[in-house]
Amino acid sequence: SQQGEEDPQALSIQEGENATMNCSYKTSINNLQWYRQNSGRGLVHLILIRSNEREKHSGRLRVTLDTSKKSSSLLITASRAADTASYFCATWDNQGGKLIFGQGTELSVKP
Amino acid sequence: GAGVSQSPRYKVAKRGQDVALRCDPISGHVSLFWYQQALGQGPEFLTYFQNEAQLDKSGLPSDRFFAERPEGSVSTLKIQRTQQEDSAVYLCASSSHRDYLYNEQFFGPGTRLTVL
């Protein structure tokens, strides 16, 4: 079973715009990770944020985590056509000790 | 190559056939994971190895699914008497440390299994 939900399920924007994706989860977590998947490169790890962190940056990526609301967001700034992919959040739950993925957001960046 | 590799990339099986999917993790990676990804869904955990020990197989959907990693490197996921609902992409991932909770996982390209 999947951990949580991602919102929106699909997002279409123009190159240069920002893209925001949200993730909600259900259980207590150790950390939350974001992954990208496209047909060319498979599933690739983007960023990891620990449960005691609130915000993290990596290049054009900004991730926030609100453990009180059990939610996270991924912001991609100045999007590029190459950012077109599916984006998944994944959590390590403290009980199960396994990585549980959301259903993903399909991002389309139009040139 | 430095990444996780999987073979075959595509497999078509007739219902009832047995299949074996192979994963070559990144050299030296202690932890190895198998996931099943249905179309339009996120990956779902199947099983986890630390070296040759299978520490968690709670995600295997039935006793038709079996995984092994006898020498702590290459792993094989075997599906016996395949059914149409087994059609999915099977992903393998590896991670570098025993304390896998804190590490990213490196994924292979997956094997797309189609059961007719």
Side-chain angles (χ1 to χ4, degrees):
Chain A
S1 61
Q2 313 251 249
Q3 164 71 289
E5 298 178 358
E6 293 183 61
D7 165 49
Q9 290 190 339
L11 179 61
S12 182
I13 59 175
Q14 294 295 129
E15 214 167 23
E17 293 181 339
N18 296 341
T20 299
M21 288 159 269
N22 302 297
C23 165
S24 61
Y25 58 90
K26 297 174 183 174
T27 63
S28 171
I29 63 169
N30 182 286
N31 65 58
L32 185 144
Q33 304 177 27
W34 284 90
Y35 286 81
R36 179 180 64 211
Q37 186 176 42
N38 58 31
S39 57
R41 291 196 60 197
L43 199 64
V44 175
H45 180 269
L46 296 176
I47 195 166
L48 179 154
I49 185 166
R50 305 189 197 288
S51 60
N52 62 352
E53 298 176 309
R54 292 296 167 259
E55 187 171 313
K56 202 161 184 180
H57 297 255
S58 177
R60 293 184 296 114
L61 305 180
R62 173 179 169 253
V63 169
T64 62
L65 178 64
D66 186 336
T67 53
S68 66
K69 296 181 179 178
K70 291 187 166 57
S71 68
S72 174
S73 67
L74 171 67
L75 169 67
I76 304 174
T77 60
S79 63
R80 306 167 182 168
D83 294 329
T84 295
S86 294
Y87 291 80
F88 296 93
C89 67
T91 54
W92 278 113
D93 73 84
N94 284 332
Q95 297 177 341
K98 62 189 68 166
L99 197 59
I100 302 176
F101 285 81
Q103 295 192 343
T105 292
E106 194 172 329
L107 174 65
S108 175
V109 181
K110 301 185 187 308
Chain B
V4 178
S5 61
Q6 293 185 246
S7 62
R9 292 292 309 276
Y10 302 91
K11 176 70 178 176
V12 178
K14 292 183 179 178
R15 191 171 52 186
Q17 274 186 330
D18 297 348
V19 298
L21 312 179
R22 177 188 169 105
C23 172
D24 282 85
I26 293 173
S27 178
H29 274 194
V30 170
S31 302
L32 184 146
F33 306 82
W34 283 99
Y35 296 85
Q36 180 189 61
Q37 186 175 24
L39 189 64
Q41 302 291 315
E44 291 207 19
F45 171 84
L46 292 177
T47 187
Y48 157 64
F49 290 86
Q50 190 173 91
N51 296 307
E52 68 278 4
Q54 189 175 20
L55 299 187
D56 188 341
K57 54 181 181 180
S58 62
L60 296 177
S62 77
D63 58 8
R64 297 186 294 105
F65 287 70
F66 172 76
E68 60 183 6
R69 194 186 185 197
E71 296 179 358
S73 55
V74 170
S75 177
T76 304
L77 176 66
K78 297 179 180 178
I79 308 173
Q80 298 176 323
R81 304 181 303 281
T82 52
Q83 304 294 314
Q84 285 188 321
E85 61 262 30
D86 300 335
S87 295
V89 175
Y90 290 86
L91 297 168
C92 174
S94 68
S95 184
S96 59
H97 295 296
R98 184 182 304 274
D99 189 12
Y100 67 93
L101 290 174
Y102 300 96
N103 290 333
E104 67 183 276
Q105 295 185 9
F106 296 86
F107 281 81
T111 295
R112 182 178 296 278
L113 172 65
T114 303
V115 181
L116 303 177

